[in-house]
């Protein structure tokens, strides 16, 4: 769903430093005192996945926030957190808290990311029922070589090749699909910290070097939702072959969707291979429909209307 009803209520152009505002993967803020440099910021939380496995879920939170920052071309530099939990006098809540902190620590060590601040909020309950464990993290990164505009956007352009970085598996625990069907069991997606770190480095380099300029993190809702968001942002349709339900709605971690100049696809695939990241060309942009072979065909206008009015 469109989130602009939230962020349009506050001033995100304070001091005119904002290069990329809300609505993308990360916001980018110009550093006027250091021409050509900028800060990229993202805030993320994955409460449903943390509820299934606090340690793994907390790793996934860190991976997503750093991936969003890297999609802007920035190098993730530091993390702050806001750890929201139920009554710590309940043993299961204190266990959730301990596991979440350990998971976040493991992820930050693997990604070389210092935790520079945060807070803890306990006793969050309603009518005696504890909230789901909800760690939220904010990551800040440094972008070099800013130029006049941000180096990446999420909106598709006409006649691009669509490339997916990362591997899709049948991982639905804590997903939007599972929530829509009232399923609150299973396990969250795998949190491979080594792959996540390599993917961050790869995408930050591809964007900062202007090899790709259309980039979007694949997260809530899976690949189908990420593709739709890119189409809506750019006003351009697509035709892809991504398989059935698993390809469309799995929420496997450490995946990114790229819109690539067809002349640079071989280069992008080669860079991904050299970084140990799976990569696949899945389709092309163009037209006024969102088409996944054998899965769905939706008019762009209908998708946009549904998204904006949700």
């Amino acid at each position: 769903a469109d989130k602009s009803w939230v962020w349009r209520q506050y001033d995100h152009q304070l001091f005119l430093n904002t290069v990329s505002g809300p609505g993308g993967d990360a916001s980018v803020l110009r550093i006027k005192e250091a021409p050509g440099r900028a800060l990229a910021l993202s805030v993320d939380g994955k409460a449903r996945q943390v509820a299934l496995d606090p340690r793994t879920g907390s790793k996934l939170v860190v991976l997503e926030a750093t991936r969003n920052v890297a999609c802007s071309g920035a190098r993730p530099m530091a993390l702050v957190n806001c750890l929201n939990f139920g009554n710590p006098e309940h043993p299961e809540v204190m266990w959730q808290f301990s596991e979440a902190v350990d998971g976040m620590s493991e992820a930050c060590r693997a990604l070389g990311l210092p935790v520079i601040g945060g807070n803890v909020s306990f006793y969050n309950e309603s009518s005696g029922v504890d909230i789901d464990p909800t760690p939220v993290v904010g990551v800040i990164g440094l972008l070099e070589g800013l130029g006049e505009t941000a180096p990446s956007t999420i909106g598709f352009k006409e006649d691009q090749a669509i490339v997916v970085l990362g591997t899709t598996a049948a991982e639905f625990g804590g997903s939007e699909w599972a929530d829509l069907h009232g399923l609150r069991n299973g396990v969250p997606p795998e949190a491979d910290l080594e792959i996540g770190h390599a993917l961050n480095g790869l995408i930050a380099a591809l964007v900062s070097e202007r090899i790709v300029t259309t980039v979007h993190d694949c997260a809530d809702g899976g690949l189908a939702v990420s593709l739709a968001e890119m189409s809506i942002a750019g006003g351009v349709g697509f035709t892809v072959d991504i398989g059935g339900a698993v390809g469309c709605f799995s929420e496997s971690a450490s995946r990114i969707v790229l819109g690539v100049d067809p002349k640079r696809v071989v280069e992008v695939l080669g860079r991904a291979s050299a970084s140990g990241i799976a990569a696949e060309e899945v389709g092309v942009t163009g037209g006024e429909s969102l088409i996944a072979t054998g899965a769905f065909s939706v008019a762009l206008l209908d998708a946009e209307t549904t998204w904006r009015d949700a």
Side-chain angles (χ1 to χ4, degrees), residues 290-308:
L290 317 185
I291 301 171
T293 303
F296 60 81
S297 178
V298 182
L300 173 57
L301 181 59
D302 290 342
E304 181 173 7
T305 300
T306 300
W307 180 75
R308 293 198 188 282

Side-chain angles (χ1 to χ4, degrees), residues 16-310:
L16 296 179
N17 286 330
T18 304
V19 179
S20 295
D25 289 328
S27 293
V28 177
L29 307 177
R30 178 185 298 105
I31 305 175
K32 289 182 178 176
E33 296 79 7
R37 307 180 98 190
L39 301 176
L41 308 99
S42 181
V43 177
D44 289 282
K46 303 185 82 65
R48 289 195 299 269
Q49 294 176 353
V50 176
L52 295 177
D53 180 341
R55 184 182 291 252
T56 299
S58 296
K59 294 178 185 178
L60 291 169
V61 177
V62 176
L63 283 173
E64 182 170 351
T66 56
R67 190 164 63 249
N68 280 328
V69 166
C71 282
S72 71
R75 179 165 54 97
M77 298 288 284
L79 176 146
V80 294
N81 61 54
C82 176
L83 308 181
N84 308 285
F85 291 80
N87 186 340
E89 298 170 43
H90 298 158
E92 65 274 19
V93 172
M94 184 51 73
W95 174 81
Q96 291 171 340
F97 177 67
S98 176
E99 288 289 288
V101 170
D102 286 346
M104 187 173 298
S105 175
E106 288 177 35
C108 288
R109 290 180 188 277
L111 299 174
L113 200 65
V115 178
I116 60 171
N119 67 3
V120 177
S121 177
F122 280 132
Y123 297 98
N124 295 289
E125 50 192 339
S126 180
S127 300
V129 178
D130 293 311
I131 67 164
D132 283 343
T134 311
V136 176
V137 305
V139 169
I140 189 168
L142 179 65
L143 172 62
E144 305 275 7
L146 174 63
E148 293 297 318
T149 60
S152 69
T153 64
I154 71 169
F156 278 141
K157 302 173 183 66
E158 288 281 359
D159 301 320
Q160 289 181 314
I162 300 174
V163 173
V164 176
L165 301 178
T167 303
T168 301
E171 297 179 297
F172 287 89
S175 67
E176 291 282 350
W177 182 92
D179 186 60
L180 193 67
H181 290 81
L183 303 174
R184 292 178 57 84
N185 51 11
V187 296
E190 180 184 2
D192 189 320
L193 301 177
E194 184 177 350
I195 288 294
H197 190 35
L199 180 63
N200 287 348
L202 170 65
I203 193 60
L206 289 175
V207 172
S208 63
E209 295 170 27
R210 283 11 185 228
I211 294 172
V212 295
T213 58
T214 303
V215 182
H216 192 21
D217 165 46
C218 183
D220 296 348
L223 189 53
V225 170
S226 294
L227 288 165
E229 289 172 342
M230 296 174 82
S231 275
I232 292 168
V236 178
F238 61 77
T239 300
V240 296
D241 187 351
I242 56 175
V246 171
C248 289
F249 303 120
S250 165
E251 292 191 14
S252 295
S254 298
R255 293 181 298 162
I256 295 173
V257 185
L258 308 177
V260 183
D261 182 333
K263 297 177 183 178
R264 309 204 76 161
V265 169
V266 172
E267 180 182 4
V268 169
L269 296 179
R271 292 280 291 266
S273 178
S275 298
I277 301 297
E280 182 182 8
E281 184 179 1
V282 298
V284 296
T285 65
E288 298 180 355
S289 296
L290 317 185
I291 301 171
T293 303
F296 60 81
S297 178
V298 182
L300 173 57
L301 181 59
D302 290 342
E304 181 173 7
T305 300
T306 300
W307 180 75
R308 293 198 188 282
D309 292 348

